[in-house]
Amino acid sequence: MAGEKNAGLVLLDFWVSPFGQRCRIALAEKGLPYEYVEENIMAVKSDRLLRSNPVYKQIPVLLHDGRTFIESLIILQYLDEFFPDTHPLLPADPSYERAHARFWADYVDKKVYGSGSKMYTEPQMQTNKEMVEILKTLEGELAEKEFFGGEHGFGFVDVALIPFTAWFESFDKYWGIKVAEVAPKLVAWAARCLERESVSNSLYSPQKVYEFAGMMRKDFGNE
């Protein structure tokens, strides 16, 4: 029964983590109740987190009836497979359409978040150029679609990418990347996503993210 399946969901997370926000959005889209546990990963990681994810020692971690799931895209796929009756994130086509969605979600992880993390530690001109090209590539994939899911609607790639948009303001103020000029269709897509309660209730304001990014810049000696 669906009610039995809904029992025992716990999410170990950190408020500003885009990877944790993915999980929160997916859980909200599927209407699944869960216990949220805030992990202070900037200080001392809890014993529960270290036991749950002894390999990477990172959030997010999803606990479900005593079983542990790590890595946000894997968590999204698990939720989609275990709770298939509520808002499927992946398309129904098990071959091309799902493979296509997984490719772009993987692109987001490797390129968007990979390049974003380097912005604190590598030369600004180099990382800015790389990020601009990534944004343009994503805008090319989005094209004229309302969501990355196309006819499927708001789905897997949208959930994977949308938390990243809360950093757009920081890109402008700290790194000089004006996303609205570089990728206006991507900005319009982000606004459509924010009309969904699952997204607006899961993301923190760009101002809060900007303050966090400023703290990170100081930690890395950028100010």
Side-chain angles (χ1 to χ4, degrees):
M1 299 291 291
E4 295 173 350
K5 283 186 176 181
N6 287 1
L9 284 166
V10 179
L11 182 65
L12 310 185
D13 199 2
F14 178 59
W15 70 275
V16 77
S17 167
F19 305 105
Q21 289 167 359
R22 288 174 172 175
C23 301
R24 285 176 248 164
I25 293 168
L27 287 160
E29 283 288 332
K30 288 182 167 293
L32 299 173
Y34 65 99
E35 177 188 353
Y36 178 85
V37 178
E38 177 74 8
E39 291 283 342
N40 187 5
I41 62 171
M42 305 298 289
V44 180
K45 297 177 181 179
S46 72
D47 290 339
R48 189 180 194 182
L49 174 60
L50 296 177
R51 288 195 309 270
S52 300
N53 190 356
V55 177
Y56 294 120
K57 303 177 178 62
Q58 296 175 342
I59 52 87
V61 173
L62 181 72
L63 307 173
H64 187 201
D65 290 340
R67 294 169 295 180
T68 302
F69 302 89
I70 60 175
E71 299 294 298
S72 59
L73 293 184
I74 292 174
I75 291 171
L76 262 57
Q77 291 178 75
Y78 169 73
L79 290 172
D80 220 30
E81 292 170 0
F82 198 84
F83 302 98
D85 299 331
T86 55
H87 190 117
L89 301 176
L90 284 163
D93 185 333
S95 53
Y96 173 74
E97 289 183 358
R98 287 195 173 195
H100 188 77
R102 288 184 174 116
F103 169 84
W104 282 104
D106 184 67
Y107 179 89
V108 170
D109 267 11
K110 290 179 178 176
K111 293 293 187 177
V112 176
Y113 293 111
S115 180
S117 65
K118 292 189 293 185
M119 295 175 78
Y120 294 102
T121 59
E122 297 189 8
Q124 181 172 329
M125 185 176 295
Q126 175 183 327
T127 54
N128 281 18
K129 181 179 179 182
E130 181 179 343
M131 182 58 73
V132 166
E133 289 304 312
I134 291 167
L135 293 171
K136 289 181 177 179
T137 297
L138 286 167
E139 180 156 275
E141 167 59 19
L142 178 64
E144 302 303 320
K145 299 191 293 288
E146 184 177 13
F147 297 108
F148 280 92
E151 293 182 1
H152 178 71
F154 183 84
F156 194 64
V157 181
D158 302 287
V159 176
L161 180 59
I162 189 59
F164 175 71
T165 63
W167 296 79
F168 283 176
E169 182 175 320
S170 299
F171 280 14
D172 183 359
K173 293 181 177 179
Y174 285 133
W175 290 281
I177 300 175
K178 299 185 181 299
V179 182
E181 297 177 7
V182 171
K185 290 180 181 179
L186 207 60
V187 172
W189 160 82
R192 289 193 294 272
C193 290
L194 280 167
E195 293 175 0
R196 305 179 74 85
E197 287 188 9
S198 64
V199 176
S200 61
N201 291 339
S202 299
L203 302 189
Y204 278 79
S205 70
Q207 178 60 34
K208 293 291 292 182
V209 173
Y210 171 73
E211 293 169 3
F212 179 80
M215 181 186 70
M216 293 291 290
R217 281 169 58 84
K218 289 179 181 178
D219 288 346
F220 281 103
N222 297 135
E223 290 187 352

